[in-house]
Amino acid sequence: QSQMKRFDEQLESQSQRKSELKAEWDRQNELLIQLEHNLNQLQKNEAERKEMLVSLEEQKEEKTKEAQELERKYDALQNEFKLLKNLVEKLEGFPESTKFLMRSKKWNKPAALFSDVLISPAEYRAALENYLENYLSHFIVNQAQDALEGIKLLKESQKGKAHFLLNNISENSSQTQDIPQALPALQVVETDSAYAGLIGQLLHEVYLVENEELAYTLAEQYPEFTFLVKDGSASFHKSIMSGGSSGLFEGKRLGRK
């Protein structure tokens, strides 16, 4: 019996030990599950961190490009401002005779420069300037005597020749013909009413179009009119064609002030 008793005690001890080991295993298993969960969470966080880092790098690169583009535009605007300032103050691009009369105290300056009395949107300015090139440095005078005094002063001072436009056109030649795909130049310019007759006479037969091919085609169909490509690259009138690349001052002299 004593032997049976010892056997029962061993069985009970083994059963208790088994329960303890089972409890320890369950605890370790729960700990392992928690550790795996924590590891997965860390891996997820690391992946999110890397993804966020990549996104931030991309944003940084994009902002850097934007900043560089803004700096480039700022420099371009600053250079254009300096150019325009020189055009106004130093009359860059104008003949010496024009500069002389504009600065002379001996001439009462009863005249305006042609380039200062006409304005238009920037997209048409180069085309109009090219067409009106021969008139941009002309003085507009209301009386022939004003021009004669300017000519006399230039002759006495040996400062070359200037040109004058007599503003004595009372009739406003603003009637234009409807031409498909062509925009009348008079619709895109503004001037003081005092110069409307003169401007009308110079531009009432001038039209703006999108490209050289269209300008050439319309010039063939309407030989009495002049067609300008609106970016200033070319102009067509009957058998006369001109065009090419744009210069530094093109689009800057019209409407300087």
Side-chain angles (χ1 to χ4, degrees):
Q1 291 180 349
S2 59
Q3 188 175 4
M4 289 293 294
K5 184 177 179 180
R6 285 196 302 273
F7 184 73
D8 288 340
E9 288 175 352
Q10 288 178 359
L11 285 175
E12 184 177 353
S13 177
Q14 292 293 330
S15 177
Q16 185 176 356
R17 179 62 180 162
K18 179 182 178 182
S19 297
E20 290 174 354
L21 289 173
K22 177 67 168 57
E24 178 64 17
W25 186 88
D26 290 342
R27 190 179 70 80
Q28 292 295 333
N29 189 55
E30 289 177 0
L31 181 60
L32 179 61
I33 292 173
Q34 183 62 42
L35 288 173
E36 287 180 345
H37 173 75
N38 292 343
L39 178 60
N40 290 335
Q41 187 63 42
L42 287 173
Q43 289 176 335
K44 180 181 178 182
N45 292 343
E46 177 65 10
E48 290 177 350
R49 187 191 70 81
K50 289 182 178 179
E51 185 178 345
M52 182 176 293
L53 182 61
V54 171
S55 176
L56 289 173
E57 287 292 339
E58 290 176 350
Q59 290 180 36
K60 178 183 176 182
E61 185 177 352
E62 183 180 347
K63 294 301 180 184
T64 300
K65 289 181 179 179
E66 288 180 4
Q68 291 173 343
E69 179 65 17
L70 287 174
E71 185 175 2
R72 186 192 65 78
K73 289 181 178 179
Y74 172 78
D75 289 340
L77 287 173
Q78 193 173 43
N79 290 334
E80 185 174 355
F81 172 76
K82 290 178 181 178
L83 175 61
L84 291 174
K85 186 177 181 182
N86 285 335
L87 283 174
V88 174
E89 295 179 355
K90 299 180 181 180
L91 292 169
E92 292 287 348
F94 289 90
E96 288 302 318
S97 57
T98 301
K99 295 178 183 179
F100 174 77
L101 285 180
M102 287 293 291
R103 295 166 181 164
S104 176
K105 295 180 179 180
K106 295 181 179 180
W107 196 45
N108 292 325
K109 301 177 187 62
L113 274 177
F114 183 88
S115 59
D116 291 342
V117 305
L118 189 66
I119 59 174
S120 75
E123 60 185 306
Y124 307 115
R125 210 170 290 155
L128 292 170
E129 277 191 14
N130 287 335
Y131 177 72
L132 296 168
E133 174 70 28
N134 294 333
Y135 302 103
L136 294 180
S137 60
H138 283 37
F139 288 99
I140 301 176
V141 295
N142 293 322
Q143 299 177 22
Q145 184 61 34
D146 297 329
L148 292 172
E149 290 176 3
I151 292 171
K152 181 180 179 182
L153 182 58
L154 287 170
K155 183 177 179 181
E156 292 173 350
S157 305
Q158 293 293 298
K159 290 296 182 178
K161 293 181 173 63
H163 304 279
F164 304 85
L165 288 170
L166 187 57
N167 189 28
N168 61 353
I169 303 171
S170 58
E171 182 180 353
N172 187 355
S173 304
S174 60
Q175 290 296 111
T176 57
Q177 182 174 331
D178 290 333
I179 298 177
Q181 303 182 73
L183 179 66
L186 286 175
Q187 290 186 14
V188 298
V189 299
E190 294 181 26
T191 188
D192 189 275
S193 58
Y195 309 109
L198 177 63
I199 301 303
Q201 185 185 52
L202 294 174
L203 293 178
H204 78 281
E205 293 182 343
V206 179
Y207 292 79
L208 294 147
V209 298
E210 290 292 331
N211 54 61
E212 291 84 356
E213 291 76 13
L214 180 58
Y216 175 76
T217 300
L218 292 177
E220 289 285 300
Q221 296 176 6
Y222 303 91
E224 69 272 29
F225 299 122
T226 298
F227 296 90
L228 313 177
V229 180
K230 72 175 187 178
D231 64 1
S233 61
S235 65
F236 296 82
H237 176 68
K238 295 182 180 179
S239 59
I240 301 174
M241 296 175 281
S242 64
S245 61
S246 298
L248 176 64
F249 290 104
E250 287 186 22
K252 301 294 189 296
R253 287 186 290 171
L254 205 63
R256 298 175 311 126
K257 298 181 178 180

